[in-house]
Amino acid sequence: MVSDYFHPSVGGVETHMYNLAENLVGLGHKVVVLTCCRGGRCGVRYLRGGVKVYHLPRVPVVGGTTLPNLGALRPFRAVAIRERVEIVHCHQTSSLSLECLLHAKTLGLRCVFTCHSLQGFAEVPSIWLNKCLKVACASADACVCVSHVSKENLVLRASVRPDDVFVIPNAVHTSVFNARRRLKRIRQTSGEFARLKRVCIVSRLVYRRGIDLLCQNFQIDPLSMQIWVASKWVNHREEERKSLASPVRVLADQAGAVRRDRDQAGLLQLDL
């Protein structure tokens, strides 16, 4: 597995790769992760279950990704030969992932690319990224997306055949999100609040997370529904925050982290 996004940093791609690697090891496969150095980690590390991680001496600069320099061929070839790699699985449109897609085809290895996010078409950075993605995905034997919308987005951006793109939706372990039984739910109280429904949306206020749909399509009656948005990077999207309806409450501090210590009791009383 190859990506600039991996632990010790925290995110959806990092968690997805870690869980996938752990389950593949449990099925009897050997999994090796190739990523950049983070938090002083450089070299070889071992995770629980026998997952071997190579932290290359590449420092992330912007958005957690490294600079594209096509210099990953030598360490990638050394790791592929040492570990007897048969399949290269690249995640997300990071510099290291796109480079290793090209190098894998050069070495005659089978390669798969997984796209986790939606990207635009009009901005200049998106145009350049889509051009690079189009060249890299030409070397991929198959592509995986996390939703059908992501599949349509990838087909248009990378000009790949729809038959070569497969959809494996993300899953949520509902057992992890059970509220505490000792707290009484708000609908059990008397008065007007007994009919009030509280909905919490955990998302970043960015376009690719669908925040524009939240702003446009939520017709909220303040007497029957209250929307709570738990988000980070709020300060970068003040226009979306101001366009939300008045019953919408954004739970984030100045640093962008959700204040769980202050709002934990309220969050555990949510209906959805």
Side-chain angles (χ1 to χ4, degrees):
M1 293 187 186
V2 182
S3 181
D4 279 327
Y5 307 102
F6 195 69
H7 294 302
S9 61
V10 179
V13 179
E14 293 85 346
T15 305
H16 174 90
M17 290 182 60
Y18 178 78
N19 291 333
L20 179 59
E22 190 176 25
N23 283 274
L24 287 175
V25 170
L27 294 176
H29 303 284
K30 182 179 181 180
V31 179
V32 177
V33 178
L34 195 64
T35 184
C36 60
C37 59
R38 290 181 183 274
R41 294 191 181 187
C42 189
V44 181
R45 296 290 191 275
Y46 287 90
L47 301 181
R48 183 182 64 181
V51 180
K52 191 175 183 180
V53 183
Y54 285 87
H55 293 274
L56 300 183
R58 295 166 58 115
V59 180
V61 287
V62 179
T65 185
T66 58
L67 288 175
N69 53 15
L70 297 179
L73 176 59
R74 184 174 180 180
F76 176 76
R77 179 179 178 272
V79 172
I81 295 176
R82 179 186 301 175
E83 304 295 342
R84 298 180 181 180
V85 175
E86 298 178 356
I87 300 176
V88 179
H89 191 179
C90 300
H91 291 260
Q92 198 64 318
T93 51
S94 63
S95 302
L96 186 60
S97 298
L98 300 184
E99 290 181 35
C100 290
L101 273 177
L102 300 175
H103 300 330
K105 201 66 174 181
T106 304
L107 299 177
L109 301 175
R110 306 296 296 271
C111 49
V112 180
F113 174 73
T114 296
C115 184
H116 295 262
S117 300
L118 302 177
Q119 298 292 339
F121 299 90
E123 300 83 3
V124 175
S126 299
I127 295 175
W128 281 105
L129 181 62
N130 295 340
K131 292 294 184 181
C132 297
L133 183 63
K134 182 177 180 180
V135 175
C137 285
S139 304
D141 295 287
C143 297
V144 179
C145 294
V146 297
S147 66
H148 293 280
V149 176
S150 178
K151 175 181 177 179
E152 296 178 3
N153 184 264
L154 180 64
V155 169
L156 294 176
R157 291 165 51 210
S159 299
V160 296
R161 296 176 61 251
D163 295 338
D164 295 335
V165 183
F166 303 90
V167 177
I168 303 179
N170 286 327
V172 176
H173 292 283
T174 56
S175 59
V176 182
F177 297 94
N178 286 335
R180 298 179 181 178
R181 297 180 179 179
R182 62 183 179 85
L183 293 178
K184 295 182 179 180
R185 301 185 60 83
I186 192 173
R187 63 170 177 263
Q188 296 176 351
T189 61
S190 59
E192 293 294 333
F193 290 99
R195 296 189 296 271
L196 181 65
K197 299 297 182 181
R198 291 187 177 183
V199 179
C200 180
I201 300 174
V202 182
S203 174
R204 281 186 283 170
L205 300 183
V206 293
Y207 163 75
R208 65 176 181 270
R209 300 304 181 190
I211 196 62
D212 56 330
L213 301 178
L214 175 64
C215 298
Q216 297 174 5
N217 298 328
F218 259 100
Q219 302 296 331
I220 304 173
D221 182 5
L223 298 179
S224 61
M225 182 179 296
Q226 184 180 26
I227 305 296
W228 290 15
V229 179
S231 176
K232 61 180 180 179
W233 297 353
V234 177
N235 296 331
H236 294 272
R237 295 300 180 197
E238 286 295 332
E239 61 273 12
E240 285 88 348
R241 184 178 184 178
K242 293 179 181 179
S243 62
L244 293 174
S246 57
V248 177
R249 180 185 177 189
V250 179
L251 305 178
D253 57 8
Q254 295 179 356
V258 178
R259 293 292 302 274
R260 290 178 296 179
D261 54 345
R262 183 185 62 189
D263 298 298
Q264 183 180 16
L267 288 176
L268 290 177
Q269 295 178 357
L270 296 171
D271 294 280
L272 180 62

